[in-house]
Amino acid sequence: MRRTRLAGALTAVLALALAATGCGDGGGITPGPGSSASTGPVAAPDRVEPLAAPAVPRLPVTVASADGRRTTVTSTERIVPLSGSLNEIVFTLGLGGRVVARDITATFEQAEKLPVVTRAHDVSAESVLSLKPTVVIAEGATGPAEAIAQIRDAGIPLVVVKPAKSLADVGTRIEAVAAALGVPDSGAALRKRTQERIDAVRQGIPAREEKPRVAFLYVRGSAAVYLLGGAESGASSLLEAAGAIDAGKESGLAKDFTPITSEALAQAAPDAILVMSKGLGSVGGIDGLVKVPGVAQTPAGADRRVVTVDDGVLLNYGPRTDQVLSSLVGQLYGEGE
């Protein structure tokens, strides 16, 4: 089954679209070019920040995998995390020097030179096994199933972690990865640091009588993929934490995504549009985005009010979630508002 970076929510058509357009998920956090609120805090360069205290694995450990199995890990000398988010967590725990491969979506600076073991968001079991990993960490939506089975059949310990869809998942994912790698103390420390930083961002959100309505659009122009996010897109939790209303969810879209139509956008009536940076580039920037049917007729389109966060971090729900949230807040409520 195909796996996507949209919190495991998108279908195989999006993975195919990414392959067709060559748009992998980028790293870093950037404000929206041309946005009327693009002066907020951003993260640069695109790096993760490992914990100061060194992580020393205590092994062996036996942990519950999210697919119902129990897995025993005896060595973390050669780690293969099979998503960008998992790579980010492992590096931030301080175990980056043991990582021997990356998912195509792990583009932050410390990981960018590692060999890629995915193609169009599918895992290559042969590529993984050629690197002689001692432990593999996967997402619940990682696929295809045959590749996962092949890795397990080779005797490699493989731990599956539940996908993240909201801020509530950040700490549990960090601790699940840390437990699998034998560094629970580092996991607890990273969870605490991450939550404190998220809390600090939320405390600085301006109070507003009327919350901005923000629609999350997933677009890939070259592949003609234009989708409006709903309640299960993965973006709702971030938007709500930023003091905004998820316009797609509030307009009644209960599922993950629906094709963009003039009617759906009119119902959502967003004041601002959230889009991934590579997606915005794929349609020719804001000038191209407002040509998507229905966009120009929304308050957001009329005001050219677009908020962007890079693909590789927007829905990771990992140690840099505070930076994602800070970028959203800065662009929505920045100077000039």
Side-chain angles (χ1 to χ4, degrees):
M1 182 176 66
R2 289 199 177 271
R3 174 174 60 89
T4 74
R5 290 304 308 135
L6 296 185
L10 293 179
T11 58
V13 64
L14 295 186
L16 291 170
L18 290 173
T21 60
C23 293
D25 294 332
I29 303 170
T30 57
S35 168
S36 61
S38 59
T39 58
V42 297
D46 180 20
R47 294 178 59 85
V48 300
E49 180 189 350
L51 291 171
V56 181
R58 300 195 299 269
L59 302 169
V61 294
T62 299
V63 295
S65 184
D67 59 355
R69 300 169 181 258
R70 291 189 65 80
T71 303
T72 298
V73 179
T74 60
S75 172
T76 56
E77 290 304 309
R78 299 182 66 81
I79 306 169
V80 175
L82 291 178
S83 78
S85 177
L86 294 175
N87 267 273
E88 182 177 322
I89 293 172
V90 175
F91 270 84
T92 310
L93 285 169
L95 297 173
R98 300 168 183 246
V99 177
V100 296
R102 67 180 176 95
D103 172 73
I104 195 172
T105 64
T107 55
F108 56 89
E109 187 175 306
Q110 294 102 317
E112 63 184 358
K113 293 182 179 180
L114 291 171
V116 175
V117 292
T118 59
R119 179 179 176 84
H121 300 293
D122 278 354
V123 177
S124 167
E126 292 79 8
S127 296
V128 171
L129 294 174
S130 72
L131 294 167
K132 297 179 170 53
T134 58
V135 60
V136 174
I137 307 176
E139 299 270 5
T142 300
E146 295 82 3
I148 299 303
Q150 188 175 342
I151 294 169
R152 277 204 168 110
D153 289 346
I156 308 300
L158 189 148
V159 179
V160 178
V161 178
K162 290 182 180 178
K165 292 187 178 182
S166 72
L167 288 176
D169 298 323
V170 174
T172 54
R173 276 170 61 81
I174 288 172
E175 291 197 334
V177 173
L181 299 178
V183 289
D185 292 344
S186 296
L190 181 56
R191 178 174 188 164
K192 181 175 183 292
R193 186 186 83 175
T194 303
Q195 188 60 54
E196 288 175 347
R197 292 179 176 185
I198 291 172
D199 290 343
V201 175
R202 299 186 73 171
Q203 288 173 7
I205 297 174
R208 294 292 181 94
E209 288 187 9
E210 292 190 16
K211 296 181 178 181
R213 295 171 59 87
V214 183
F216 174 39
L217 304 187
Y218 182 88
V219 296
R220 283 296 186 266
S222 299
V225 175
Y226 305 100
L227 302 174
L228 169 61
E232 296 299 317
S233 72
S236 293
S237 181
L238 282 169
L239 292 174
E240 290 164 2
I245 294 170
D246 182 337
K249 174 183 175 181
E250 198 271 343
S251 69
L253 298 179
K255 58 180 183 178
D256 46 14
F257 289 86
T258 190
I260 292 175
T261 64
S262 297
E263 293 77 10
L265 284 174
Q267 181 71 21
D271 302 308
I273 289 171
L274 169 63
V275 63
M276 293 179 175
S277 57
K278 287 185 181 293
L280 185 62
S282 77
V283 297
I286 294 178
D287 288 341
L289 185 65
V290 296
K291 294 177 182 177
V292 173
V295 170
Q297 287 69 50
T298 65
D303 292 339
R304 297 170 62 86
R305 187 167 176 76
V306 178
V307 175
T308 66
V309 175
D310 273 10
D311 308 44
V313 291
L314 176 59
L315 300 178
N316 267 5
Y317 288 112
R320 293 193 289 177
T321 297
D322 66 294
Q323 296 176 17
V324 175
L325 186 58
S326 179
S327 182
L328 289 176
V329 170
Q331 292 180 67
L332 287 172
Y333 311 108
E335 293 179 5
E337 285 295 285

